[in-house]
Amino acid sequence: MTTDLFSRRRLLSLLAVGTASTLASCASSRPGPAGLNITYRDGDAGLPFVPSPPMRGRSPELDAIYGETVDGGFVIPAVPYWQIDPRFYRQRVVDPTGQPPGTVVVDTASRFLYLVEPGGTAMRYGVGIGRQGFAWQGEGVIQWRQKWPKWTPPDEMVARQPELVRYSSANGGMQPGLMNPLGARALYIFKNGQDTLYRLHGSPEWNSIGKAVSSGCVRLMNQDIIDLYERVPQKARIVVWQ
C-alpha cells in the first residue's frame, strides 16, 4: 500500500530511532538478531486438514500478509519476514493443545501462541516473551481489547527510569502510535475479575519474535496481533503454559 503520510524510508528510520529509545513494561526490549514470521492456508471444507510445510524465501502470499499496511491512520511498515525463522510465521496447524475452540493458548517455552479452531486446527503465531511473560501462568479471560492503545508505565518503572515520567499515569500515558510499546493492539488478561497485568500486544520489533527479550509480556508482530484481534472471541479463555 502507499500513503502520503510518510515515505517508507522515513518510517523505517523513525522505527530505528524509536526502538532504540522506547522503554516498556509489557512491551519494549533490546532484541538481538532477526526473527521470522509465517502464513496460513485454509483447508478445504469437508476434507481432513493437512498442514502445508512452511514457505521459505519470499512469496506473494507472505508479502501480502507481512507487507506494509495502513491501520487506524498509521502506516505499519512491512516486516522483512525472510529474515525470520519460518516456524514463527502465522499459519494454520493441527491443534496440539487439546483445548476447546475459541481458547487462546500461550506456550512460552516454544514461543508460540495458538487460537484453537473448530475441527481440530489452530492458528499459530510466533511470539516474543519478556520478563513479565514468564511471571504468570494458568487460566484467565481476555477481558478487554484495545486498538492502538495508550501505554502507561507503572509507577515502579517510572521510579527506576525517571525519563519515563512524561508517560506516567499523571501525565496521561504515551499516546497510540508506531513507537508505542503496545503496538497496534493489546489484549488484557484478567483472572477472577482482577487484572493480571499480563498482555498480548503488538510490537514493531519483529526481530524479537521467537526470543526471550529484556522486558515485556507476550508480543506479536503488528500484522499478527491485528489478525489475532479479529479472530479472538469476546471474553475468550486464555491458558498460559510456562
Side-chain angles (χ1 to χ4, degrees):
M1 288 186 183
T2 59
T3 178
D4 58 2
L5 293 177
F6 299 100
S7 70
R8 181 187 293 266
R9 181 171 297 175
R10 172 67 173 159
L11 264 177
L12 292 177
S13 66
L14 284 173
L15 269 178
V17 172
T19 298
S21 63
T22 301
L23 299 170
S25 167
C26 252
S28 179
S29 70
R30 294 293 176 269
L36 255 133
N37 340 352
I38 186 169
T39 268
Y40 67 89
R41 303 165 182 76
D42 292 326
D44 293 330
L47 297 177
F49 173 72
V50 178
S52 300
M55 291 185 290
R56 294 186 177 273
R58 300 194 63 165
S59 75
E61 184 178 1
L62 290 172
D63 284 346
I65 289 173
Y66 291 114
E68 181 182 283
T69 186
V70 178
D71 181 88
F74 298 101
V75 181
I76 300 173
V79 171
Y81 60 83
W82 53 92
Q83 298 182 40
I84 302 174
D85 188 326
R87 72 179 182 272
F88 296 121
Y89 297 157
R90 183 196 323 160
Q91 58 186 302
R92 179 166 280 114
V93 298
V94 174
D95 173 41
T97 73
Q99 298 295 322
T103 304
V104 174
V105 178
V106 179
D107 183 348
T108 58
S110 297
R111 312 291 192 261
F112 290 138
L113 181 151
Y114 298 91
L115 174 59
V116 182
E117 301 174 318
T121 63
M123 286 301 301
R124 191 179 78 187
Y125 305 82
V127 299
I129 307 292
R131 282 192 304 264
Q132 292 87 345
F134 290 107
W136 187 81
Q137 65 179 335
E139 297 186 18
V141 175
I142 298 176
Q143 186 71 23
W144 188 45
R145 312 184 309 167
Q146 184 68 38
K147 295 182 178 181
W148 293 102
K150 285 185 177 182
W151 173 66
T152 305
D155 292 341
E156 297 79 11
M157 175 174 278
V158 174
R160 293 193 308 269
Q161 299 171 287
E163 67 274 16
L164 298 180
V165 68
R166 59 179 172 165
Y167 303 129
S168 67
S169 56
N171 290 321
M174 179 186 282
Q175 295 301 307
L178 293 174
M179 297 302 105
N180 186 300
L182 293 181
R185 303 285 189 275
L187 307 181
Y188 299 78
I189 312 307
F190 283 58
K191 183 172 184 176
N192 299 325
Q194 300 295 315
D195 188 355
T196 65
L197 303 181
Y198 194 87
R199 313 283 187 248
L200 312 177
H201 63 86
S203 174
E205 296 175 340
W206 56 267
N207 52 351
S208 68
I209 302 304
K211 299 181 174 69
V213 291
S214 63
S215 64
C217 288
V218 175
R219 62 178 62 194
L220 293 81
M221 289 174 282
N222 275 321
Q223 286 86 341
D224 281 348
I225 194 67
I226 291 171
D227 182 85
L228 177 65
Y229 181 98
E230 296 301 326
R231 295 177 187 272
V232 169
Q234 293 290 334
K235 311 296 185 184
R237 175 172 170 263
I238 181 168
V239 180
V240 178
W241 297 337
Q242 294 290 0

